[in-house]
Amino acid sequence: MLPTSDQPIGIFDSGIGGLTVANAIHHALPNEQLIYFGDTVHLPYGDKSADAIRYYSLKISKFLLEQHCKMIIIACNSASSAAYDMLLDFFEGKALFVNVVDPLVQAVISHNYQNVGVIATKATINSSIYKNKIKTINQKVRVNQLATPLLAPMIEEGFYRGSISKSVIENYLSHPDLKDIDALLLACTHYPLIRDEINTFYGGKIDILDSTDVVREDVISILQKENMLSPKRKKEDQFYVSDYTTSFEETARNFYGEDIRLEAMHIWT
Ligand code: DGL
């Protein structure tokens, strides 16, 4: 059966990084009920094989569809790279699927950048998804990719806006491949939390783009086009994780910027 406008929006990530996207949507679309799923059992996705990430994404999407979600936002670049096409095929007609890669690619094209850097997990960089998609639209854009695998676990553990994150960020961004870029894509949904530190590293001289604003705009325009905007919120938002710890809940609050409660949802047992 086709979904209807009053059904919730599902959002998933390997952990709590996707909460940056969820929060942007929550503020822009207060009538929508959100159901968030962080797969903390398998975090980080960035070090997993594409097959493993596809399997996790399939199972989580199935769970979100069982919650009657009308739209599923893959708020993780690693999962968007590995699993988006498969999810579209597998669940055709059951829900609207949104990935976090295409809106950032479109932003690069519309700003007409000529030399962009991409930092992301190993899974996203190894897929070359940003390079391939940008170059398919404009062959002339130079795309310099760098895997920055320490960043997501570092942020997830609460190490940001401090001396540890400063030195890890400086170490990565000093890489010769990222010299002379005119924009840097933060191609991981954890990275908005270190956006200010990255901006400080560059002294505000280049543009820094992350998924939150562009994905929010993409979601709004898809829901408008499909006539699926909810007229009224029916229930409170729900935040599930596949493995619950209290420290995790505290970090989740920092990510979301509001007091939220996480609930354990054991979809793997
Ligand atoms: N938030 C995920 C992404 O956007 C990465 C974190 C992870 O490696 O699990 O790629």
Side-chain angles (χ1 to χ4, degrees):
M1 221 175 50
L2 284 172
T4 56
S5 61
D6 57 353
Q7 292 172 219
I9 297 178
I11 304 181
F12 79 90
D13 178 39
S14 57
I16 47 188
L19 287 171
T20 54
V21 174
N23 189 253
I25 290 166
H26 168 70
H27 283 288
L29 300 172
N31 287 338
E32 302 292 339
Q33 182 205 348
L34 307 183
I35 301 183
Y36 184 87
F37 188 92
D39 190 13
T40 46
V41 164
H42 296 117
L43 174 96
Y45 277 9
D47 295 342
K48 304 288 186 304
S49 68
D51 277 348
I53 298 171
R54 278 194 273 272
Y55 173 68
Y56 305 149
S57 303
L58 201 68
K59 191 91 194 248
I60 296 165
S61 299
K62 215 166 151 267
F63 165 73
L64 291 171
L65 287 171
E66 283 161 10
Q67 313 308 306
H68 310 291
C69 291
K70 62 182 173 189
M71 171 182 263
I72 295 180
I73 304 170
I74 311 167
C76 170
N77 282 267
S78 311
S80 292
S81 314
Y84 174 64
D85 290 341
M86 178 208 64
L87 294 175
L88 274 189
D89 277 358
F90 201 86
F91 296 114
E92 200 189 338
K94 297 228 162 51
L96 302 163
F97 278 84
V98 175
N99 70 70
V100 289
V101 174
D102 290 330
L104 260 188
V105 167
Q106 281 310 324
V108 169
I109 301 301
S110 58
H111 281 93
N112 209 13
Y113 296 121
Q114 295 305 306
N115 197 356
V116 297
V118 182
I119 56 168
T121 64
K122 283 189 215 161
T124 302
I125 296 300
N126 290 343
S127 75
S128 277
I129 191 156
Y130 280 92
K131 194 171 198 158
N132 294 340
K133 287 198 178 223
I134 292 169
K135 285 201 169 281
T136 303
I137 304 173
N138 184 350
Q139 182 63 34
K140 288 202 192 110
V141 182
R142 279 188 54 203
V143 183
N144 312 273
Q145 317 182 95
L146 183 71
T148 49
L150 277 183
L151 294 182
M154 175 188 87
I155 297 166
E156 195 91 22
E157 286 296 330
F159 288 101
Y160 51 92
R161 297 188 199 123
S163 54
I164 292 176
S165 56
K166 184 168 186 274
S167 104
V168 174
I169 289 167
E170 279 177 8
N171 202 286
Y172 277 137
L173 299 184
S174 306
H175 195 283
D177 286 358
L178 295 181
K179 255 188 106 199
D180 302 326
I181 52 174
D182 43 27
L184 181 69
L185 306 191
L186 309 189
C188 171
T189 51
H190 283 68
Y191 299 175
L193 271 282
I194 53 168
R195 192 190 161 112
D196 291 348
E197 289 171 83
I198 292 176
N199 198 30
T200 303
F201 174 85
Y202 286 107
K205 290 201 180 76
I206 67 162
D207 288 349
I208 317 269
L209 275 66
D210 71 47
S211 317
T212 49
D213 297 348
V214 287
V215 172
R216 179 195 61 212
E217 292 312 308
D218 197 43
V219 165
I220 294 172
S221 93
I222 293 170
L223 289 174
Q224 275 169 345
K225 196 169 131 245
E226 301 290 332
N227 211 8
M228 286 282 226
L229 280 167
S230 168
K232 195 168 183 279
R233 167 193 287 271
K234 272 186 157 174
K235 284 190 191 156
E236 287 307 301
D237 297 339
Q238 282 156 297
F239 300 91
Y240 295 116
V241 284
S242 49
D243 187 31
Y244 174 88
T245 64
T246 45
S247 76
F248 205 67
E249 190 165 61
E250 272 163 38
T251 320
R253 285 178 183 144
N254 290 340
F255 265 71
Y256 199 69
E258 281 166 46
D259 200 13
I260 54 170
R261 283 203 40 227
L262 300 179
E263 283 173 66
M265 180 53 68
H266 303 290
I267 66 167
W268 303 111
T269 48

